[in-house]
Amino acid sequence: MGYVLRCSCFRVCASLRLCWQCSLGRHGAGFQPLPSGGAVVKIYAPHATQVSIVGSWNGWMPDSLVNLSDGWWELNISSEPTRDYLFQIGAAYKIFLVSEDGRSYWRPDPWSRLQDGTTLGNSLTYFDEKFQWTDANWSMPHWDTLVIYELHVGSFCAYEGWTGTATLDMCIPKLEHLVELGINAVELLPVAEFDGTVDWGYTTAYPFAVEVSYGGQDAFKRFVNACHQKGLAVLLDVVYNHLGPMDLPLWQFDGWSNGTGLGGIYFYNDHRAETPWAHTRPNYGVPDVRRFFVDNALFWLDTMHCDGLRVDGVSFIRLWGGSETNRSAGTFNPEGELFLKELSAAVRKTGKMLIAEDLQGNMSLTEELPKGLGFNSQWDGRFHWTLLKNLRQPDAWRNMSDLQQAILADLGGGVRRTIYAESHDEAGRFRLPLAISGRRDSWVGSRLSALATALVMLSPGIPLIFQGQEFALQELFSAHQPMDWSQLASHRGTFKLHQDLVALRRVQGLGSGTGVNVTADETNKILTLHRWKENWPSSTSAPSAPSARSVFAIFNFQRRALVNFDVTFPKGVDWNLALNTADARYYNMATVFHEEDQGPGAFTPIESPQAGSTGTLLGRNRRTSS
């Protein structure tokens, strides 16, 4: 196996000393076994007076690191057959530190790739390069064609009666379901090692390690490899706005905390430490702390072959203060903004995707560096909240103009916004069909949820759906509760609808950069949405189609049919029916019709309609007229 040499260091190498990352072709510090045998250990502990490595290969006797006088400590361990063998099979080790006040500490390796599964337990040696990848010919779909499926490893592929959490290997057979659905990108909730074994994943303790209950490093690589073999890109949610708060190896790592009792050198030690989850905001003012997280991003993209990252809670990085329900109340943090720029600059060099979850509609997030923060896309909270609010309102209260503005919202154009009707945050409090109607398997909930999916798939932006949404799952999302796959059989209609909408978007080339026009009829609660596309990205394998692709959709947001309703279609093309959400093939066996339900709004695509057509229609052009 060959090893690529690269340098992602943030400091200039000493004149006669080869940079440790250059020699390894790896990302991050800590304990790093060398392919040629032996290892190098590098630790950032500026307030320590002694740093040593202790492990099973040296009888747990300290081997001291050399103080490099810049806060870093380093040790080169020579190659020796017995020791190298122990390194290869996962020898246990810890970092031993003595603080400025003489106290000693045994710490797990913050850069650890593998933990033993116990709280603040032993780190285990691991070779990043030992896995045999088979995705050399993989290339990510053009970003403009992405349809993302968000999933949580622990609940996505578990089953009723399963105790604990599901694993990444268990998820691999379920990839066939995603291929059948037609999506081309998977977004995983965080998989970095966290406290305990069952969690959403947003309590990261070891950013470079894959949660052991999910199967660890090799299981993650097998999952990514399998996704790429099936044509699925892999995006990963990462958490850099706080850590833990439990089971943190970085907490007061070298014994110093400036007398505050807070987190020490890797964290803020004043009011800036506070986040909505814990007093563990990283200290972005320290270059080596910023580098810790930049290295982590590059680790996931390079070493672990991810195709992109979604950075959670960006507003809590670029601001301090505020709350989850009032993020804009925070105070600008220039150090956090500097970190975000360094992060996006590093990711930009990889050619991979960086998505922000900020939810403030801040266009600077996706503006080019150095003026903006350089992200490629951001979650559009306004689109989601406007859609949800209108779906849960009585017919007469729905505001078509608000929906029109949400569809047309300009967050920089192109792929620069990601849109959704459901995500993990909302699904933990309610699922859309039940939130709309208040009843399980209600006709109203089913039909209006269909409108929501149609709006997501046809609007400008990268569409995202959350696990179970494709078959109208109504149980709340919980890390402790397996997704109920038995519901798929009784909700095949909803699954078929999602299939057809995903196919319509992808086959018609309705990417984020296509033309769009929206009209709003407040009296009749009607939206019309016209999308068109002139050119398909050359890197995709789309089927042949006319040079001009066009889709015209009519959304009826009332629970009654409209008779003799005049619709003016775009001129110059002939139209054929593509999809009608009221079609019987999209009905579910489980759906219940209540007396007060008056046939909720439906959504349709058309063949050769004329102005004055009745019903709700979505159509696509068949050929260009002269």
Side-chain angles (χ1 to χ4, degrees):
M1 180 185 296
Y3 298 94
V4 177
L5 299 182
R6 65 177 65 83
C7 180
S8 59
C9 293
F10 60 94
R11 295 187 307 275
V12 177
C13 301
S15 57
L16 296 178
R17 182 167 56 89
L18 182 64
C19 164
W20 67 278
Q21 280 188 315
C22 293
S23 65
L24 294 173
R26 305 164 72 99
H27 302 290
F31 182 94
Q32 305 279 8
L34 295 170
S36 58
V40 62
V41 187
K42 189 157 176 112
I43 300 294
Y44 182 66
H47 294 281
T49 60
Q50 177 185 338
V51 178
S52 304
I53 184 80
V54 291
S56 58
W57 65 88
N58 63 7
W60 297 93
M61 297 298 292
D63 284 337
S64 296
L65 279 65
V66 176
N67 189 343
L68 302 181
S69 301
D70 57 358
W72 285 92
W73 300 71
E74 186 176 55
L75 173 67
N76 289 297
I77 302 176
S78 62
S79 177
E80 192 274 327
T82 301
R83 187 164 52 213
D84 291 346
Y85 171 75
L86 292 174
F87 289 168
Q88 292 174 20
I89 64 173
Y93 71 96
K94 274 192 171 179
I95 310 299
F96 177 77
L97 305 100
V98 177
S99 65
E100 292 170 326
D101 61 5
R103 296 184 182 184
S104 60
Y105 303 90
W106 295 70
R107 303 293 196 205
D109 183 354
W111 293 268
S112 167
R113 303 299 200 255
L114 192 62
Q115 287 298 118
D116 65 5
T118 61
T119 299
L120 292 174
N122 294 327
S123 301
L124 305 177
T125 59
Y126 178 84
F127 277 90
D128 283 333
E129 296 86 354
K130 72 178 182 178
F131 184 82
Q132 298 296 315
W133 293 94
T134 60
D135 64 349
N137 295 324
W138 162 257
S139 61
M140 185 179 184
H142 193 286
W143 296 352
D144 205 39
T145 70
L146 291 180
V147 178
I148 301 173
Y149 187 96
E150 186 186 31
L151 69 85
H152 170 257
V153 171
S155 60
F156 175 67
C157 52
Y159 49 84
E160 197 65 37
W162 177 264
T163 58
T165 186
T167 67
L168 286 150
D169 285 322
M170 290 170 63
C171 290
I172 291 176
K174 290 295 185 183
L175 297 180
E176 289 295 337
H177 170 79
L178 305 183
V179 172
E180 182 184 4
L181 178 59
I183 62 98
N184 57 5
V186 173
E187 180 180 309
L188 299 177
L189 269 64
V191 301
E193 185 81 32
F194 50 76
D195 178 45
T197 60
V198 181
D199 196 270
W200 281 22
Y202 293 90
T203 56
T204 297
Y206 299 82
F208 290 86
V210 175
E211 169 59 35
V212 67
S213 64
Y214 288 171
Q217 304 290 99
D218 286 350
F220 185 85
K221 292 175 180 178
R222 288 191 292 269
F223 177 83
V224 174
N225 210 42
C227 284
H228 288 171
Q229 290 172 348
K230 294 183 180 298
L232 302 172
V234 178
L235 309 175
L236 179 66
D237 207 343
V238 292
V239 185
Y240 299 149
N241 55 50
H242 78 290
L243 291 176
M246 304 299 292
D247 198 10
L248 279 182
L250 284 175
W251 186 261
Q252 297 182 7
F253 181 68
D254 58 11
W256 177 86
S257 65
N258 200 29
T260 64
L262 292 174
I265 188 62
Y266 284 89
F267 303 91
Y268 285 117
N269 292 278
D270 54 23
H271 59 280
R272 293 172 294 177
E274 183 178 0
T275 73
W277 311 280
H279 287 67
T280 58
R281 179 178 279 116
N283 188 346
Y284 310 116
V286 177
D288 295 283
V289 174
R290 297 198 302 273
R291 188 68 221 183
F292 178 87
F293 292 104
V294 171
D295 277 338
N296 181 251
L298 296 176
F299 162 77
W300 290 111
L301 296 173
D302 183 6
T303 307
M304 306 301 276
H305 287 211
C306 290
D307 300 290
L309 301 175
R310 170 200 180 266
V311 182
D312 181 68
V314 168
S315 58
F316 295 106
I317 297 174
R318 61 183 184 84
L319 306 171
W320 54 264
S323 65
E324 286 195 89
T325 57
N326 188 14
R327 299 189 183 202
S328 61
T331 301
F332 174 62
N333 184 354
E335 296 170 346
E337 183 172 277
L338 175 60
F339 161 64
L340 293 172
K341 288 186 175 183
E342 290 178 350
L343 173 67
S344 61
V347 172
R348 184 66 59 92
K349 292 179 181 179
T350 70
K352 298 191 176 184
M353 193 169 201
L354 192 63
I355 303 172
E357 188 260 345
D358 188 86
L359 304 182
Q360 300 301 297
N362 186 340
M363 289 183 62
S364 69
L365 285 167
T366 54
E367 289 181 345
E368 293 294 325
L369 295 168
K371 179 181 178 182
L373 298 184
F375 283 78
N376 303 116
S377 186
Q378 64 173 306
W379 277 29
D380 186 355
R382 177 189 175 188
F383 180 96
H384 164 74
W385 294 321
T386 302
L387 179 58
L388 179 64
K389 175 183 176 181
N390 277 278
L391 290 174
R392 300 180 73 175
Q393 298 277 18
D395 288 357
W397 293 4
R398 295 194 178 104
N399 190 312
M400 299 298 100
S401 296
D402 282 354
L403 286 170
Q404 178 188 38
Q405 293 172 19
I407 294 170
L408 295 174
D410 182 10
L411 290 180
V415 298
R416 294 188 178 184
R417 72 170 183 171
T418 299
I419 55 176
Y420 54 95
E422 285 193 270
S423 76
H424 63 278
D425 279 326
E426 291 73 32
R429 299 191 298 269
F430 54 79
R431 296 310 296 253
L432 191 58
L434 196 57
I436 290 171
S437 67
R439 295 185 176 90
R440 289 187 62 86
D441 291 312
S442 157
W443 181 268
V444 169
S446 175
R447 297 273 52 84
L448 289 177
S449 294
L451 287 183
T453 298
L455 271 175
V456 169
M457 290 299 162
L458 294 179
S459 295
I462 300 173
L464 175 145
I465 61 177
F466 182 63
Q467 64 180 41
Q469 182 182 338
E470 73 276 19
F471 54 88
L473 194 64
Q474 292 163 81
E475 284 74 24
L476 296 182
F477 162 58
S478 168
H480 297 268
Q481 181 66 38
M483 199 165 86
D484 187 0
W485 284 93
S486 68
Q487 295 296 312
L488 176 59
S490 57
H491 293 83
R492 293 295 305 185
T494 296
F495 180 77
K496 176 61 177 172
L497 173 64
H498 281 73
Q499 261 188 324
D500 290 351
L501 285 168
V502 170
L504 180 69
R505 180 182 180 91
R506 294 185 60 190
V507 172
Q508 288 297 110
L510 299 181
S512 303
T514 57
V516 58
N517 184 54
V518 184
T519 65
D521 181 339
E522 295 291 359
T523 301
N524 294 294
K525 303 303 175 186
I526 294 289
L527 273 183
T528 68
L529 172 59
H530 182 206
R531 300 291 310 282
W532 61 91
K533 174 82 173 179
E534 292 297 333
N535 297 301
W536 192 278
S538 59
S539 62
T540 67
S541 56
S544 59
S547 60
R549 295 174 175 85
S550 186
V551 170
F552 187 81
I554 307 170
F555 296 81
N556 175 14
F557 280 89
Q558 294 191 85
R559 288 179 291 177
R560 65 182 179 87
L562 292 176
V563 180
N564 296 325
F565 180 72
D566 289 336
V567 178
T568 301
F569 287 87
K571 298 178 180 179
V573 294
D574 296 328
W575 295 90
N576 66 285
L577 180 64
L579 186 147
N580 182 350
T581 62
D583 194 298
R585 61 182 168 165
Y586 301 132
Y587 293 175
N588 296 319
M589 292 170 51
T591 300
V592 178
F593 185 85
H594 301 279
E595 289 186 4
E596 64 271 27
D597 297 343
Q598 302 177 36
F603 158 92
T604 321
I606 313 181
E607 182 142 14
S608 300
Q610 303 293 327
S613 297
T614 62
T616 51
L617 305 168
L618 180 157
R620 59 187 173 197
N621 69 301
R622 182 172 53 205
R623 61 181 181 276
T624 303
S625 301
S626 58

